[in-house]
Amino acid sequence: MRFSKMLIPTLREIPADAEAISHILMLRAGYIRQLAAGLYINLPLGSKVIEKINKILREEMNAIGAQEMTLPVLHPAEVWQETGRWYEIGDEMFRLKDRGDRDMCLGMTHEEIMTWLAVREIRSYRDLPQVWYQIQTKLRDEARPKSGVLRTREFLMKDSYSFDADEDGLERSYQLHADAYHKIFSRCGLKFYMVESDPGMMGGATAHEFMSPSPAGEDEVVLCTSCGYAANIELALSIPKKIGIMDWNFEEVHTPEKRTVEEVSNFLKLRPEYFIKSILLISDNGPLLALVRGDQELHEKKLNRIIGKHRSAQKKEVKDILGVEAGFIGPMNHKLRIIADMCLKEGVYVSGANKQHYHAKGIRPGKDFIAEWHDIHVAKEGDSCSKCNAALKIERVIEIGNIFKLGTKYSLPLKAFYLDEKGLEKPIIMGSYGIGPARIAAAAIEQNNDKDGIIWPKSIAPFDVEILPLNMKDVKTLDIAEKLYKDLTEKDIEVLMDDRDERAGVKFKDADLIGIPAQIIIGEKNIKEGLVEIKDRRTKEAVKVKVEEVVKVLC
RNA sequence: CGGGGCGUAGCGCAGCCUGGUUUAGCGCACCUGCCUUGGGAGCAGGGGGUCGGAGGUUCAAAUCCUCUCGCCCCGACCA
């Protein structure tokens, strides 16, 4: 491809609206343009990258026997109503009516539709297993689109669905996907982790996410470098660092106007880990107390799994229910249900005395209060691994893929049954597996860039090589450029030739920005000796090569 | 949805507080010509603006007031 024939609108300045590195570089290097919040146009270069990624996706999906198909983006409401998601999902679903006033929605994922198809086409155990996939647009009315292409309202997704006769079959399909995903992300040149994740509203028991490290990510994962434990922070277990057990006797201490752990901790000259934070929550079954150690944060999602829906109490409710102001609540002498973090089981602590301007010192769990013990704290860097006790590490990541065991969550309500060998009707056991190609591209940029621009991994670069004829008015330069362009193209190397009548500096800057892995620089001085330079975008190292040998060197 | 910020030429910004002196300005980009060709050159000339929109205050509004739309960031949410 000739640069002059391709729309590559590079920007010299940093667009004011972009913050994430991948976002800035995709805009500056002419890969994308924004239409509206969370809606992006893929320019020619951007499309080429997505196509490269999709090709890898197809190869690896096909390799595990998955079959590609395409499904509508516009769905009738009925099928979503049958699984209940029409009602469970809120504003995030784009809904509309057709001319006949029928309720419709835009597909945010395709479990319903794939299962609808399975209902009609799978009848016998002989038809199983099946893995169906598509690479298709999804639409979600995101509350907050952000970070360029990382969180958009319309995005491409490779989504596959497995249909098996039993749990063993699902396990095989799940494992096949996990393996394929490892290959896909490795081939795309990404650093990534497979971590345990919260199945959430997708249903089912087991789920993993593929996470690619980047400060632009929205998630955090907890990693153990010793035993390999890896989990999304939303469910990661950890053992907080142990503290010494004090031999305080129970006493009430005057702590005037000292409410937060930080204030009391400074006032009493005691580290926060010797405190118990007592938090009043209102659940559907009434008020309860949650206790975490002073140096910890209460983990809403973990607690949610134990007590269901809840919210924090308002100031007035605290007063009404506990008879004391927030800031002086302690776990003693309540009739409320108490959920406490595991690590509080041992030790002697300080907490509110349930009395204005007083805290209680010498609180002994089990003696001064009774609680249900659970891991309800947010894992922290330096906590110990719950499996092997080694120190845990926390990393910010981009979710680039996920795999879910759905079980019968969709096959039961939609009646996707098959007949087994004995003629018994059984529900199909399903799995669902997603990958976001745009997030792969963004993660690749996040992990591979320098001050000059993008440095694409070879496998997903829009072109393999960029030719830079520095002086377009020099006939010899042109001759060599054209010859190399032709020779390389014939060898199936994808070449971008910067044939614009621009100064050398402009071509160098744009080439670095765009990030094609190899550059062939054709300058007049080197030509006199029959040489051109081949430069590595990543290392910036250039080697002089005879014109005739360029093809050989690059192949 | 809560909090914050920003909308002035294709991009990046100044002007706004303290209304008039601006025919709304600067850099880059763009067009024409000359010149130049190894890291975003130089000179000369030129085109491009409903100052996000609506309403209001005023003799006079980019500037003050009200409403509204859009975009970004933090949080909540994220099937």
Side-chain angles (χ1 to χ4, degrees), chain A residues 519-536:
Chain A
Q519 301 170 1
I520 300 174
I521 299 161
I522 307 175
E524 287 177 272
K525 283 180 204 116
N526 284 323
I527 295 179
K528 291 198 178 102
E529 299 163 51
L531 299 171
V532 297
E533 275 172 69
I534 298 180
K535 187 165 158 187
D536 184 291

Side-chain angles (χ1 to χ4, degrees), chain A residues 48-203:
Chain A
K48 287 213 71 164
V49 170
I50 296 297
E51 274 316 310
K52 289 268 177 111
I53 293 168
N54 289 348
K55 183 162 180 278
I56 293 173
L57 292 173
R58 290 196 170 92
E59 285 172 8
E60 296 299 338
M61 292 313 297
N62 295 343
I64 60 168
Q67 309 161 68
E68 183 167 12
M69 45 178 90
T70 60
L71 273 48
V73 231
L74 183 62
H75 305 171
E78 284 78 22
V79 61
W80 285 83
Q81 287 166 347
E82 280 170 49
T83 61
R85 286 164 113 191
W86 176 265
Y87 311 104
E88 284 164 29
I89 298 170
D91 291 338
E92 212 158 313
M93 179 185 267
F94 282 107
R95 297 163 205 256
L96 64 158
K97 285 182 188 289
D98 69 8
R99 63 202 303 162
D101 209 37
R102 280 177 287 266
D103 281 320
M104 313 285 287
C105 66
L106 300 179
M108 36 201 307
T109 173
H110 282 76
E111 280 79 14
E112 275 79 359
I113 312 305
M114 282 285 189
T115 311
W116 181 96
L117 182 64
V119 168
R120 278 143 194 87
E121 309 307 334
I122 296 176
R123 302 206 171 74
S124 156
Y125 70 95
R126 291 194 182 88
D127 299 328
L128 299 172
Q130 294 279 341
V131 178
W132 300 339
Y133 79 99
Q134 60 166 353
I135 300 178
Q136 186 41 298
T137 301
K138 307 287 182 230
L139 292 120
R140 295 179 190 175
D141 196 357
E142 289 288 349
R144 181 145 104 84
K146 57 184 282 204
S147 307
V149 111
L150 282 177
R151 189 161 208 89
T152 54
R153 294 192 289 176
E154 176 178 322
F155 58 98
L156 207 57
M157 179 164 148
K158 186 291 300 174
D159 47 324
S160 42
Y161 304 84
S162 64
F163 303 88
D164 283 283
D166 51 31
E167 289 292 336
D168 287 349
L170 172 58
E171 180 56 35
R172 274 190 297 278
S173 295
Y174 195 78
Q175 204 48 55
L176 280 173
H177 274 88
D179 293 347
Y181 277 30
H182 275 93
K183 287 182 187 154
I184 286 164
F185 299 127
S186 301
R187 283 182 66 184
C188 290
L190 295 179
K191 293 189 199 86
F192 67 94
Y193 311 109
M194 175 170 140
V195 310
E196 291 174 24
S197 74
D198 183 356
M201 292 292 287
M202 290 293 291

Side-chain angles (χ1 to χ4, degrees), chain A residues 253-485:
Chain A
V253 190
H254 189 50
T255 51
E257 303 297 338
K258 304 290 182 272
R259 289 176 172 81
T260 65
V261 167
E262 196 191 351
E263 286 164 359
V264 187
S265 152
N266 288 336
F267 183 73
L268 298 179
K269 309 259 179 309
L270 273 175
R271 296 225 305 275
E273 42 285 27
Y274 290 98
F275 288 79
I276 294 174
K277 271 190 217 176
S278 312
I279 303 154
L280 182 68
L281 299 165
I282 312 293
S283 77
D284 290 349
N285 298 317
L288 72 152
L289 272 185
L291 310 182
V292 293
R293 214 167 72 182
D295 60 331
Q296 295 176 333
E297 292 298 320
L298 174 65
H299 198 309
E300 302 284 345
K301 289 207 169 159
K302 285 180 181 175
L303 194 60
N304 197 46
R305 281 189 278 272
I306 301 162
I307 63 165
K309 256 203 193 136
H310 64 278
R311 61 176 173 85
S312 46
Q314 291 156 9
K315 278 192 181 136
K316 191 174 173 300
E317 289 174 314
V318 173
K319 199 97 198 242
D320 291 349
I321 297 166
L322 301 175
V324 65
E325 195 182 307
F328 304 100
I329 308 172
M332 309 77 66
N333 307 319
H334 297 298
K335 292 199 178 83
L336 296 176
R337 181 180 181 191
I338 298 180
I339 313 280
D341 190 74
M342 292 290 296
C343 78
L344 293 173
K345 215 165 177 174
E346 286 179 2
V348 179
Y349 297 94
V350 179
S351 191
N354 294 319
K355 194 167 144 191
Q356 190 79 351
H357 304 308
Y358 280 91
H359 278 75
K361 191 173 167 185
I363 299 170
R364 287 175 165 74
K367 174 168 168 282
D368 296 308
F369 67 93
I370 308 290
E372 299 165 42
W373 306 100
H374 295 277
D375 179 330
I376 55 166
H377 63 273
V378 180
K380 277 199 304 191
E381 179 98 26
D383 280 359
S384 300
C385 176
S386 63
K387 300 243 158 44
C388 78
N389 229 31
L392 292 172
K393 189 171 81 152
I394 292 183
E395 227 172 314
R396 187 154 274 272
V397 292
I398 297 169
E399 181 188 350
I400 48 175
N402 53 43
I403 55 180
F404 292 95
K405 286 189 184 176
L406 298 175
T408 58
K409 170 158 171 135
Y410 298 92
S411 49
L412 285 181
L414 292 172
K415 304 186 176 64
F417 298 120
Y418 70 96
L419 292 183
D420 72 5
E421 298 92 321
K422 295 174 188 132
L424 288 174
E425 191 173 68
K426 289 190 171 165
I428 297 173
I429 311 294
M430 292 177 55
S432 138
Y433 317 86
I435 288 183
R439 285 187 171 182
I440 292 182
I445 293 173
E446 291 285 336
Q447 291 172 9
N448 300 281
N449 68 79
D450 62 17
K451 65 174 175 37
D452 294 311
I454 301 169
I455 307 171
W456 286 111
K458 286 187 174 61
S459 56
I460 60 173
F463 291 93
D464 301 315
V465 182
E466 176 168 348
I467 298 177
L468 305 179
L470 297 187
N471 183 357
M472 293 299 289
K473 299 223 164 62
D474 180 61
V475 182
K476 282 204 185 104
T477 299
L478 280 189
D479 283 350
I480 292 169
E482 290 294 344
K483 182 176 177 339
L484 289 176
Y485 181 67

